[in-house]
Amino acid sequence: MKTTVRLDDSIAEVLIEADVLQDRVKELGARLSVLYKDSVPILVGVLKGAAPFLVDLMRAMPIPLQVEFMAVSSYGRNTQHSGVVRILMDLVVGIEGRDVLIVEDIVDTGLTLDYLRSYLENQNPRSLRIVALLDKVEARRVAVPLDYVGFQIPNEFVVGYGLDLAEQYRNLPYIGILKALAVAEALRS
Ligand code: 5GP
């Protein structure tokens, strides 16, 4: 008989439980709703990792807003940043004169956001802010001004709530650290 594979079995430690994540996202949504109460901000979600965060965040913001997406290159099948950032999918709307909020899943070296920030800044938005769910402060290689952060986390590779390893584990409702065996298997397959 075939045994069912459960994602939970690959997790060594749950770093942030699902209900804790949800509570914090609601708090961030409430604060951002006050900040943007007089404008219609554009939330720019960075695919694919920020998708669950963006969806929960926008539902915690009961104000008029617009949602757009960009995709940038990530680690691919590795857990180390290559240092090169590429835009895989660009915005399909203009942002000149608009209040823009970049919604990012995690800031590690800061290279991705540093690039994205200056790329969007060059398009002359009225304001440009960043909200990141997770911040690995110790891993930073370039300073990026983060306006709002959900949680500061240790310098560990994490998965879940949008974050992947080799495109898997995004559907976990919590943030966790993988068992070494699961990492080895994902990188091999
Ligand atoms: P940075 O450019 O700041 O080094 O990395 C940003 C991107 O790298 C994130 O948007 C995310 O896609 C990926 N990343 C960084 N740290 C982690 C991690 O711990 N786990 C996963 N799954 N992705 C990460």
PDB file of all heavy atoms in Angstrom, residues 140-174:
ATOM      1  N   ARG A 140      22.012  40.188   6.039  1.00  0.00           N
ATOM      2  CA  ARG A 140      21.985  41.343   5.140  1.00  0.00           C
ATOM      3  C   ARG A 140      23.346  41.648   4.515  1.00  0.00           C
ATOM      4  O   ARG A 140      24.355  41.695   5.208  1.00  0.00           O
ATOM      5  CB  ARG A 140      21.475  42.571   5.895  1.00  0.00           C
ATOM      6  CG  ARG A 140      20.957  43.634   4.980  1.00  0.00           C
ATOM      7  CD  ARG A 140      19.622  43.281   4.308  1.00  0.00           C
ATOM      8  NE  ARG A 140      18.512  43.676   5.132  1.00  0.00           N
ATOM      9  CZ  ARG A 140      17.763  42.817   5.815  1.00  0.00           C
ATOM     10  NH1 ARG A 140      17.970  41.528   5.714  1.00  0.00           N
ATOM     11  NH2 ARG A 140      16.792  43.251   6.563  1.00  0.00           N
ATOM     12  N   ARG A 141      23.362  41.851   3.194  1.00  0.00           N
ATOM     13  CA  ARG A 141      24.588  42.290   2.502  1.00  0.00           C
ATOM     14  C   ARG A 141      24.456  43.725   2.003  1.00  0.00           C
ATOM     15  O   ARG A 141      25.433  44.410   1.830  1.00  0.00           O
ATOM     16  CB  ARG A 141      24.903  41.341   1.340  1.00  0.00           C
ATOM     17  CG  ARG A 141      25.638  40.081   1.833  1.00  0.00           C
ATOM     18  CD  ARG A 141      25.570  38.921   0.872  1.00  0.00           C
ATOM     19  NE  ARG A 141      26.061  39.213  -0.447  1.00  0.00           N
ATOM     20  CZ  ARG A 141      25.978  38.362  -1.478  1.00  0.00           C
ATOM     21  NH1 ARG A 141      25.427  37.173  -1.297  1.00  0.00           N
ATOM     22  NH2 ARG A 141      26.434  38.672  -2.654  1.00  0.00           N
ATOM     23  N   VAL A 142      23.220  44.148   1.712  1.00  0.00           N
ATOM     24  CA  VAL A 142      22.996  45.570   1.377  1.00  0.00           C
ATOM     25  C   VAL A 142      21.863  46.095   2.254  1.00  0.00           C
ATOM     26  O   VAL A 142      20.882  45.397   2.498  1.00  0.00           O
ATOM     27  CB  VAL A 142      22.601  45.804  -0.115  1.00  0.00           C
ATOM     28  CG1 VAL A 142      23.803  45.874  -1.000  1.00  0.00           C
ATOM     29  CG2 VAL A 142      21.619  44.767  -0.598  1.00  0.00           C
ATOM     30  N   ALA A 143      22.008  47.338   2.695  1.00  0.00           N
ATOM     31  CA  ALA A 143      20.991  47.932   3.575  1.00  0.00           C
ATOM     32  C   ALA A 143      19.758  48.296   2.748  1.00  0.00           C
ATOM     33  O   ALA A 143      19.876  48.919   1.694  1.00  0.00           O
ATOM     34  CB  ALA A 143      21.559  49.175   4.238  1.00  0.00           C
ATOM     35  N   VAL A 144      18.601  47.847   3.197  1.00  0.00           N
ATOM     36  CA  VAL A 144      17.343  48.210   2.527  1.00  0.00           C
ATOM     37  C   VAL A 144      16.415  48.792   3.588  1.00  0.00           C
ATOM     38  O   VAL A 144      16.253  48.196   4.657  1.00  0.00           O
ATOM     39  CB  VAL A 144      16.628  46.968   1.921  1.00  0.00           C
ATOM     40  CG1 VAL A 144      15.595  47.391   0.903  1.00  0.00           C
ATOM     41  CG2 VAL A 144      17.602  46.004   1.324  1.00  0.00           C
ATOM     42  N   PRO A 145      15.818  49.957   3.307  1.00  0.00           N
ATOM     43  CA  PRO A 145      14.900  50.525   4.295  1.00  0.00           C
ATOM     44  C   PRO A 145      13.569  49.765   4.294  1.00  0.00           C
ATOM     45  O   PRO A 145      12.805  49.843   3.337  1.00  0.00           O
ATOM     46  CB  PRO A 145      14.711  51.967   3.802  1.00  0.00           C
ATOM     47  CG  PRO A 145      15.003  51.914   2.341  1.00  0.00           C
ATOM     48  CD  PRO A 145      15.914  50.758   2.090  1.00  0.00           C
ATOM     49  N   LEU A 146      13.328  49.004   5.359  1.00  0.00           N
ATOM     50  CA  LEU A 146      12.061  48.266   5.457  1.00  0.00           C
ATOM     51  C   LEU A 146      11.107  49.092   6.315  1.00  0.00           C
ATOM     52  O   LEU A 146      11.416  49.411   7.464  1.00  0.00           O
ATOM     53  CB  LEU A 146      12.282  46.896   6.111  1.00  0.00           C
ATOM     54  CG  LEU A 146      13.281  45.970   5.413  1.00  0.00           C
ATOM     55  CD1 LEU A 146      13.428  44.667   6.180  1.00  0.00           C
ATOM     56  CD2 LEU A 146      12.840  45.714   3.979  1.00  0.00           C
ATOM     57  N   ASP A 147       9.964  49.465   5.763  1.00  0.00           N
ATOM     58  CA  ASP A 147       9.020  50.303   6.505  1.00  0.00           C
ATOM     59  C   ASP A 147       8.237  49.489   7.520  1.00  0.00           C
ATOM     60  O   ASP A 147       7.952  49.955   8.615  1.00  0.00           O
ATOM     61  CB  ASP A 147       8.085  50.998   5.517  1.00  0.00           C
ATOM     62  CG  ASP A 147       8.871  51.887   4.572  1.00  0.00           C
ATOM     63  OD1 ASP A 147       9.197  53.007   4.982  1.00  0.00           O
ATOM     64  OD2 ASP A 147       9.206  51.445   3.449  1.00  0.00           O
ATOM     65  N   TYR A 148       7.853  48.287   7.140  1.00  0.00           N
ATOM     66  CA  TYR A 148       7.105  47.411   8.048  1.00  0.00           C
ATOM     67  C   TYR A 148       7.643  45.992   7.928  1.00  0.00           C
ATOM     68  O   TYR A 148       7.890  45.521   6.822  1.00  0.00           O
ATOM     69  CB  TYR A 148       5.613  47.413   7.698  1.00  0.00           C
ATOM     70  CG  TYR A 148       4.968  48.761   7.906  1.00  0.00           C
ATOM     71  CD1 TYR A 148       4.926  49.690   6.880  1.00  0.00           C
ATOM     72  CD2 TYR A 148       4.443  49.118   9.141  1.00  0.00           C
ATOM     73  CE1 TYR A 148       4.360  50.939   7.070  1.00  0.00           C
ATOM     74  CE2 TYR A 148       3.873  50.365   9.349  1.00  0.00           C
ATOM     75  CZ  TYR A 148       3.843  51.267   8.306  1.00  0.00           C
ATOM     76  OH  TYR A 148       3.296  52.507   8.508  1.00  0.00           O
ATOM     77  N   VAL A 149       7.804  45.349   9.085  1.00  0.00           N
ATOM     78  CA  VAL A 149       8.299  43.966   9.115  1.00  0.00           C
ATOM     79  C   VAL A 149       7.361  43.137   9.993  1.00  0.00           C
ATOM     80  O   VAL A 149       6.949  43.588  11.064  1.00  0.00           O
ATOM     81  CB  VAL A 149       9.738  43.924   9.684  1.00  0.00           C
ATOM     82  CG1 VAL A 149      10.168  42.499   9.967  1.00  0.00           C
ATOM     83  CG2 VAL A 149      10.720  44.582   8.716  1.00  0.00           C
ATOM     84  N   GLY A 150       7.051  41.947   9.519  1.00  0.00           N
ATOM     85  CA  GLY A 150       6.206  41.059  10.315  1.00  0.00           C
ATOM     86  C   GLY A 150       6.976  40.450  11.474  1.00  0.00           C
ATOM     87  O   GLY A 150       6.624  40.618  12.646  1.00  0.00           O
ATOM     88  N   PHE A 151       8.056  39.760  11.148  1.00  0.00           N
ATOM     89  CA  PHE A 151       8.858  39.069  12.160  1.00  0.00           C
ATOM     90  C   PHE A 151      10.334  39.111  11.772  1.00  0.00           C
ATOM     91  O   PHE A 151      10.670  38.932  10.607  1.00  0.00           O
ATOM     92  CB  PHE A 151       8.488  37.580  12.249  1.00  0.00           C
ATOM     93  CG  PHE A 151       7.047  37.310  12.530  1.00  0.00           C
ATOM     94  CD1 PHE A 151       6.126  37.224  11.490  1.00  0.00           C
ATOM     95  CD2 PHE A 151       6.602  37.125  13.831  1.00  0.00           C
ATOM     96  CE1 PHE A 151       4.790  36.963  11.731  1.00  0.00           C
ATOM     97  CE2 PHE A 151       5.270  36.864  14.084  1.00  0.00           C
ATOM     98  CZ  PHE A 151       4.357  36.781  13.038  1.00  0.00           C
ATOM     99  N   GLN A 152      11.185  39.305  12.764  1.00  0.00           N
ATOM    100  CA  GLN A 152      12.614  39.097  12.541  1.00  0.00           C
ATOM    101  C   GLN A 152      12.900  37.637  12.868  1.00  0.00           C
ATOM    102  O   GLN A 152      12.436  37.138  13.896  1.00  0.00           O
ATOM    103  CB  GLN A 152      13.430  40.019  13.430  1.00  0.00           C
ATOM    104  CG  GLN A 152      13.289  41.470  12.988  1.00  0.00           C
ATOM    105  CD  GLN A 152      14.294  42.399  13.618  1.00  0.00           C
ATOM    106  OE1 GLN A 152      14.890  42.065  14.626  1.00  0.00           O
ATOM    107  NE2 GLN A 152      14.458  43.561  13.037  1.00  0.00           N
ATOM    108  N   ILE A 153      13.649  36.978  11.981  1.00  0.00           N
ATOM    109  CA  ILE A 153      13.926  35.548  12.202  1.00  0.00           C
ATOM    110  C   ILE A 153      15.432  35.293  12.135  1.00  0.00           C
ATOM    111  O   ILE A 153      16.170  36.075  11.551  1.00  0.00           O
ATOM    112  CB  ILE A 153      13.173  34.647  11.177  1.00  0.00           C
ATOM    113  CG1 ILE A 153      13.631  34.948   9.734  1.00  0.00           C
ATOM    114  CG2 ILE A 153      11.674  34.778  11.309  1.00  0.00           C
ATOM    115  CD1 ILE A 153      13.231  33.869   8.746  1.00  0.00           C
ATOM    116  N   PRO A 154      15.885  34.176  12.709  1.00  0.00           N
ATOM    117  CA  PRO A 154      17.312  33.849  12.634  1.00  0.00           C
ATOM    118  C   PRO A 154      17.737  33.505  11.204  1.00  0.00           C
ATOM    119  O   PRO A 154      16.890  33.287  10.336  1.00  0.00           O
ATOM    120  CB  PRO A 154      17.450  32.641  13.559  1.00  0.00           C
ATOM    121  CG  PRO A 154      16.093  32.137  13.808  1.00  0.00           C
ATOM    122  CD  PRO A 154      15.121  33.224  13.512  1.00  0.00           C
ATOM    123  N   ASN A 155      19.036  33.450  10.997  1.00  0.00           N
ATOM    124  CA  ASN A 155      19.581  33.203   9.666  1.00  0.00           C
ATOM    125  C   ASN A 155      19.500  31.722   9.293  1.00  0.00           C
ATOM    126  O   ASN A 155      20.513  31.032   9.202  1.00  0.00           O
ATOM    127  CB  ASN A 155      21.021  33.710   9.612  1.00  0.00           C
ATOM    128  CG  ASN A 155      21.535  33.812   8.188  1.00  0.00           C
ATOM    129  OD1 ASN A 155      20.758  33.642   7.245  1.00  0.00           O
ATOM    130  ND2 ASN A 155      22.816  34.074   8.029  1.00  0.00           N
ATOM    131  N   GLU A 156      18.276  31.243   9.100  1.00  0.00           N
ATOM    132  CA  GLU A 156      18.020  29.837   8.738  1.00  0.00           C
ATOM    133  C   GLU A 156      17.189  29.835   7.475  1.00  0.00           C
ATOM    134  O   GLU A 156      16.399  30.754   7.258  1.00  0.00           O
ATOM    135  CB  GLU A 156      17.163  29.163   9.834  1.00  0.00           C
ATOM    136  CG  GLU A 156      17.789  29.135  11.183  1.00  0.00           C
ATOM    137  CD  GLU A 156      18.477  27.813  11.445  1.00  0.00           C
ATOM    138  OE1 GLU A 156      18.642  27.026  10.490  1.00  0.00           O
ATOM    139  OE2 GLU A 156      18.847  27.589  12.597  1.00  0.00           O
ATOM    140  N   PHE A 157      17.315  28.788   6.677  1.00  0.00           N
ATOM    141  CA  PHE A 157      16.479  28.673   5.486  1.00  0.00           C
ATOM    142  C   PHE A 157      15.105  28.169   5.906  1.00  0.00           C
ATOM    143  O   PHE A 157      14.986  27.103   6.506  1.00  0.00           O
ATOM    144  CB  PHE A 157      17.109  27.729   4.461  1.00  0.00           C
ATOM    145  CG  PHE A 157      16.409  27.775   3.137  1.00  0.00           C
ATOM    146  CD1 PHE A 157      16.683  28.781   2.228  1.00  0.00           C
ATOM    147  CD2 PHE A 157      15.449  26.829   2.821  1.00  0.00           C
ATOM    148  CE1 PHE A 157      16.005  28.843   1.020  1.00  0.00           C
ATOM    149  CE2 PHE A 157      14.773  26.882   1.608  1.00  0.00           C
ATOM    150  CZ  PHE A 157      15.048  27.887   0.709  1.00  0.00           C
ATOM    151  N   VAL A 158      14.072  28.952   5.603  1.00  0.00           N
ATOM    152  CA  VAL A 158      12.716  28.602   6.045  1.00  0.00           C
ATOM    153  C   VAL A 158      11.801  28.332   4.851  1.00  0.00           C
ATOM    154  O   VAL A 158      12.057  28.813   3.746  1.00  0.00           O
ATOM    155  CB  VAL A 158      12.108  29.716   6.933  1.00  0.00           C
ATOM    156  CG1 VAL A 158      12.852  29.836   8.247  1.00  0.00           C
ATOM    157  CG2 VAL A 158      12.085  31.060   6.202  1.00  0.00           C
ATOM    158  N   VAL A 159      10.756  27.582   5.097  1.00  0.00           N
ATOM    159  CA  VAL A 159       9.750  27.300   4.059  1.00  0.00           C
ATOM    160  C   VAL A 159       8.358  27.496   4.645  1.00  0.00           C
ATOM    161  O   VAL A 159       8.182  27.582   5.863  1.00  0.00           O
ATOM    162  CB  VAL A 159       9.862  25.845   3.508  1.00  0.00           C
ATOM    163  CG1 VAL A 159      11.161  25.641   2.749  1.00  0.00           C
ATOM    164  CG2 VAL A 159       9.708  24.816   4.635  1.00  0.00           C
ATOM    165  N   GLY A 160       7.367  27.525   3.741  1.00  0.00           N
ATOM    166  CA  GLY A 160       5.978  27.636   4.163  1.00  0.00           C
ATOM    167  C   GLY A 160       5.406  29.023   3.960  1.00  0.00           C
ATOM    168  O   GLY A 160       6.147  29.981   3.765  1.00  0.00           O
ATOM    169  N   TYR A 161       4.072  29.118   3.964  1.00  0.00           N
ATOM    170  CA  TYR A 161       3.354  30.374   3.774  1.00  0.00           C
ATOM    171  C   TYR A 161       3.926  31.118   2.551  1.00  0.00           C
ATOM    172  O   TYR A 161       4.263  32.289   2.614  1.00  0.00           O
ATOM    173  CB  TYR A 161       3.439  31.218   5.048  1.00  0.00           C
ATOM    174  CG  TYR A 161       2.408  32.325   5.127  1.00  0.00           C
ATOM    175  CD1 TYR A 161       1.037  32.054   5.141  1.00  0.00           C
ATOM    176  CD2 TYR A 161       2.787  33.654   5.201  1.00  0.00           C
ATOM    177  CE1 TYR A 161       0.098  33.071   5.225  1.00  0.00           C
ATOM    178  CE2 TYR A 161       1.855  34.686   5.286  1.00  0.00           C
ATOM    179  CZ  TYR A 161       0.513  34.375   5.292  1.00  0.00           C
ATOM    180  OH  TYR A 161      -0.421  35.402   5.372  1.00  0.00           O
ATOM    181  N   GLY A 162       4.086  30.396   1.463  1.00  0.00           N
ATOM    182  CA  GLY A 162       4.568  30.988   0.214  1.00  0.00           C
ATOM    183  C   GLY A 162       6.021  30.684  -0.091  1.00  0.00           C
ATOM    184  O   GLY A 162       6.438  30.682  -1.252  1.00  0.00           O
ATOM    185  N   LEU A 163       6.801  30.429   0.944  1.00  0.00           N
ATOM    186  CA  LEU A 163       8.239  30.204   0.737  1.00  0.00           C
ATOM    187  C   LEU A 163       8.508  28.752   0.353  1.00  0.00           C
ATOM    188  O   LEU A 163       7.980  27.832   0.977  1.00  0.00           O
ATOM    189  CB  LEU A 163       9.004  30.566   2.001  1.00  0.00           C
ATOM    190  CG  LEU A 163       9.037  32.063   2.282  1.00  0.00           C
ATOM    191  CD1 LEU A 163       9.376  32.324   3.727  1.00  0.00           C
ATOM    192  CD2 LEU A 163      10.026  32.747   1.364  1.00  0.00           C
ATOM    193  N   ASP A 164       9.379  28.583  -0.634  1.00  0.00           N
ATOM    194  CA  ASP A 164       9.582  27.244  -1.186  1.00  0.00           C
ATOM    195  C   ASP A 164      11.001  26.742  -1.022  1.00  0.00           C
ATOM    196  O   ASP A 164      11.921  27.499  -0.701  1.00  0.00           O
ATOM    197  CB  ASP A 164       9.294  27.262  -2.694  1.00  0.00           C
ATOM    198  CG  ASP A 164      10.414  27.964  -3.487  1.00  0.00           C
ATOM    199  OD1 ASP A 164      10.821  29.069  -3.077  1.00  0.00           O
ATOM    200  OD2 ASP A 164      10.886  27.393  -4.487  1.00  0.00           O
ATOM    201  N   LEU A 165      11.137  25.450  -1.256  1.00  0.00           N
ATOM    202  CA  LEU A 165      12.439  24.890  -1.604  1.00  0.00           C
ATOM    203  C   LEU A 165      12.176  24.085  -2.867  1.00  0.00           C
ATOM    204  O   LEU A 165      11.325  23.177  -2.848  1.00  0.00           O
ATOM    205  CB  LEU A 165      13.005  23.977  -0.509  1.00  0.00           C
ATOM    206  CG  LEU A 165      14.306  23.281  -0.940  1.00  0.00           C
ATOM    207  CD1 LEU A 165      15.411  24.279  -1.244  1.00  0.00           C
ATOM    208  CD2 LEU A 165      14.794  22.297   0.105  1.00  0.00           C
ATOM    209  N   ALA A 166      12.841  24.441  -3.957  1.00  0.00           N
ATOM    210  CA  ALA A 166      12.632  23.787  -5.247  1.00  0.00           C
ATOM    211  C   ALA A 166      11.134  23.700  -5.575  1.00  0.00           C
ATOM    212  O   ALA A 166      10.633  22.654  -5.976  1.00  0.00           O
ATOM    213  CB  ALA A 166      13.287  22.403  -5.260  1.00  0.00           C
ATOM    214  N   GLU A 167      10.422  24.815  -5.360  1.00  0.00           N
ATOM    215  CA  GLU A 167       8.996  24.983  -5.689  1.00  0.00           C
ATOM    216  C   GLU A 167       8.035  24.205  -4.794  1.00  0.00           C
ATOM    217  O   GLU A 167       6.830  24.212  -5.041  1.00  0.00           O
ATOM    218  CB  GLU A 167       8.726  24.636  -7.175  1.00  0.00           C
ATOM    219  CG  GLU A 167       9.410  25.567  -8.149  1.00  0.00           C
ATOM    220  CD  GLU A 167       9.025  27.042  -7.974  1.00  0.00           C
ATOM    221  OE1 GLU A 167       7.894  27.312  -7.558  1.00  0.00           O
ATOM    222  OE2 GLU A 167       9.877  27.908  -8.210  1.00  0.00           O
ATOM    223  N   GLN A 168       8.548  23.572  -3.757  1.00  0.00           N
ATOM    224  CA  GLN A 168       7.642  22.856  -2.858  1.00  0.00           C
ATOM    225  C   GLN A 168       7.546  23.559  -1.500  1.00  0.00           C
ATOM    226  O   GLN A 168       8.344  24.438  -1.207  1.00  0.00           O
ATOM    227  CB  GLN A 168       8.120  21.422  -2.662  1.00  0.00           C
ATOM    228  CG  GLN A 168       7.918  20.606  -3.919  1.00  0.00           C
ATOM    229  CD  GLN A 168       8.121  19.119  -3.661  1.00  0.00           C
ATOM    230  OE1 GLN A 168       7.802  18.617  -2.588  1.00  0.00           O
ATOM    231  NE2 GLN A 168       8.666  18.437  -4.634  1.00  0.00           N
ATOM    232  N   TYR A 169       6.589  23.125  -0.716  1.00  0.00           N
ATOM    233  CA  TYR A 169       6.359  23.603   0.657  1.00  0.00           C
ATOM    234  C   TYR A 169       5.663  24.961   0.751  1.00  0.00           C
ATOM    235  O   TYR A 169       5.426  25.451   1.833  1.00  0.00           O
ATOM    236  CB  TYR A 169       7.666  23.657   1.477  1.00  0.00           C
ATOM    237  CG  TYR A 169       8.349  22.327   1.585  1.00  0.00           C
ATOM    238  CD1 TYR A 169       9.460  22.030   0.799  1.00  0.00           C
ATOM    239  CD2 TYR A 169       7.862  21.349   2.446  1.00  0.00           C
ATOM    240  CE1 TYR A 169      10.082  20.789   0.872  1.00  0.00           C
ATOM    241  CE2 TYR A 169       8.473  20.108   2.530  1.00  0.00           C
ATOM    242  CZ  TYR A 169       9.574  19.841   1.746  1.00  0.00           C
ATOM    243  OH  TYR A 169      10.180  18.624   1.828  1.00  0.00           O
ATOM    244  N   ARG A 170       5.325  25.587  -0.400  1.00  0.00           N
ATOM    245  CA  ARG A 170       4.668  26.897  -0.335  1.00  0.00           C
ATOM    246  C   ARG A 170       3.314  26.814   0.352  1.00  0.00           C
ATOM    247  O   ARG A 170       2.807  27.800   0.886  1.00  0.00           O
ATOM    248  CB  ARG A 170       4.444  27.455  -1.749  1.00  0.00           C
ATOM    249  CG  ARG A 170       5.717  27.764  -2.521  1.00  0.00           C
ATOM    250  CD  ARG A 170       5.341  28.540  -3.776  1.00  0.00           C
ATOM    251  NE  ARG A 170       6.401  28.549  -4.783  1.00  0.00           N
ATOM    252  CZ  ARG A 170       7.413  29.400  -4.817  1.00  0.00           C
ATOM    253  NH1 ARG A 170       7.522  30.307  -3.871  1.00  0.00           N
ATOM    254  NH2 ARG A 170       8.320  29.352  -5.771  1.00  0.00           N
ATOM    255  N   ASN A 171       2.687  25.654   0.295  1.00  0.00           N
ATOM    256  CA  ASN A 171       1.320  25.506   0.804  1.00  0.00           C
ATOM    257  C   ASN A 171       1.227  25.217   2.298  1.00  0.00           C
ATOM    258  O   ASN A 171       0.130  25.086   2.834  1.00  0.00           O
ATOM    259  CB  ASN A 171       0.578  24.411   0.023  1.00  0.00           C
ATOM    260  CG  ASN A 171       1.362  23.116  -0.080  1.00  0.00           C
ATOM    261  OD1 ASN A 171       2.592  23.144  -0.146  1.00  0.00           O
ATOM    262  ND2 ASN A 171       0.693  21.995  -0.105  1.00  0.00           N
ATOM    263  N   LEU A 172       2.355  25.145   2.980  1.00  0.00           N
ATOM    264  CA  LEU A 172       2.286  25.007   4.441  1.00  0.00           C
ATOM    265  C   LEU A 172       1.687  26.291   5.026  1.00  0.00           C
ATOM    266  O   LEU A 172       2.079  27.381   4.619  1.00  0.00           O
ATOM    267  CB  LEU A 172       3.685  24.809   5.033  1.00  0.00           C
ATOM    268  CG  LEU A 172       4.330  23.439   4.895  1.00  0.00           C
ATOM    269  CD1 LEU A 172       5.788  23.507   5.361  1.00  0.00           C
ATOM    270  CD2 LEU A 172       3.555  22.390   5.683  1.00  0.00           C
ATOM    271  N   PRO A 173       0.794  26.191   6.009  1.00  0.00           N
ATOM    272  CA  PRO A 173       0.179  27.404   6.565  1.00  0.00           C
ATOM    273  C   PRO A 173       1.051  28.101   7.608  1.00  0.00           C
ATOM    274  O   PRO A 173       0.673  29.142   8.137  1.00  0.00           O
ATOM    275  CB  PRO A 173      -1.117  26.880   7.203  1.00  0.00           C
ATOM    276  CG  PRO A 173      -0.834  25.456   7.516  1.00  0.00           C
ATOM    277  CD  PRO A 173       0.164  24.957   6.510  1.00  0.00           C
ATOM    278  N   TYR A 174       2.201  27.503   7.936  1.00  0.00           N
ATOM    279  CA  TYR A 174       3.108  28.084   8.933  1.00  0.00           C
ATOM    280  C   TYR A 174       4.507  28.225   8.330  1.00  0.00           C
ATOM    281  O   TYR A 174       4.778  27.761   7.224  1.00  0.00           O
ATOM    282  CB  TYR A 174       3.155  27.203  10.189  1.00  0.00           C
ATOM    283  CG  TYR A 174       3.508  25.749   9.911  1.00  0.00           C
ATOM    284  CD1 TYR A 174       4.821  25.349   9.716  1.00  0.00           C
ATOM    285  CD2 TYR A 174       2.501  24.775   9.821  1.00  0.00           C
ATOM    286  CE1 TYR A 174       5.148  24.035   9.438  1.00  0.00           C
ATOM    287  CE2 TYR A 174       2.820  23.452   9.542  1.00  0.00           C
ATOM    288  CZ  TYR A 174       4.139  23.087   9.348  1.00  0.00           C
ATOM    289  OH  TYR A 174       4.461  21.790   9.065  1.00  0.00           O
TER     290      TYR A 174
END
